[in-house]
Amino acid sequence: MTSDTRPFKVLGIQQIAIGGTDKQRLKTLWVDMLGLQQTGTFRSERENVDEDILSMGQGAHAVEVDLMQPLDIERKPAVHATPLNHVGLWIDDLPRAVEWLAARGVRFAPGGIRKGAAGHDITFLHPRGNEEFPIAGEGVLIELVQAPPDVIAALG
């Protein structure tokens, strides 16, 4: 299948999410040692996450780095269980991407399209396929993120 039949484009990496049991230890590396700037926080009981949002780069080339720890280490989702929890990709047309991918057997994690920590619409590709949806992230959770117009213009 050629890319011109695909009704959406992956524009670039939107984020990298890193989980651990103590986000302060993660901040020591990413903020204190590497110099990334903290731009926000996110806390969700439903997603069992306490997250610091960092940024590197500027404009359309900015990449979000999320440092995550679980609110309750015994609950799921277990954001600390996989140190590289997920990779986020900018998508130019998220609803069309989801529709097209699902129709071709890509498995999505529960939750559908929803607002993410940074305010963008998001959804996740499941890390494992199943009989009904055999195509998945092969062990990696992949977040699809609706790119805002300025990112689409810069990267599209």
Side-chain angles (χ1 to χ4, degrees):
M1 176 166 293
T2 63
S3 62
D4 50 324
T5 61
R6 189 175 296 106
F8 67 92
K9 287 197 294 186
V10 174
L11 302 174
I13 293 178
Q14 183 269 337
Q15 71 173 265
I16 299 168
I18 302 165
T21 57
D22 180 357
K23 70 178 180 175
Q24 190 55 50
R25 290 177 52 109
L26 294 169
K27 284 177 74 171
T28 297
L29 172 64
W30 290 93
V31 175
D32 300 342
M33 300 294 112
L34 298 177
L36 275 66
Q37 300 296 309
Q38 184 168 341
T39 59
T41 60
F42 178 71
R43 189 175 175 95
S44 170
E45 293 287 336
R46 182 172 81 79
E47 296 180 25
N48 191 34
V49 69
D50 178 10
E51 179 175 320
D52 286 340
I53 302 166
L54 313 180
S55 182
M56 64 178 157
Q58 295 179 350
H61 300 286
V63 175
E64 182 180 310
V65 177
D66 297 337
L67 305 180
M68 306 178 305
Q69 73 181 33
L71 293 171
D72 180 345
I73 204 160
E74 301 299 321
R75 279 189 43 228
K76 291 192 178 191
V79 299
H80 64 291
T82 305
L84 175 58
N85 187 279
H86 65 272
V87 173
L89 303 174
W90 284 124
I91 302 294
D92 66 340
D93 188 337
L94 186 59
R96 286 183 71 188
V98 169
E99 179 182 0
W100 191 85
L101 292 167
R104 285 157 179 79
V106 174
R107 184 178 182 195
F108 287 86
I113 295 175
R114 58 196 179 276
K115 287 284 180 219
H120 305 293
D121 284 349
I122 63 162
T123 195
F124 290 93
L125 273 64
H126 201 284
R128 289 182 299 280
N130 61 19
E131 202 169 301
E132 183 180 3
F133 296 99
I135 302 169
E138 296 304 316
V140 175
L141 186 64
I142 300 169
E143 183 176 9
L144 302 183
V145 182
Q146 175 61 57
D150 62 320
V151 172
I152 293 171
L155 298 176

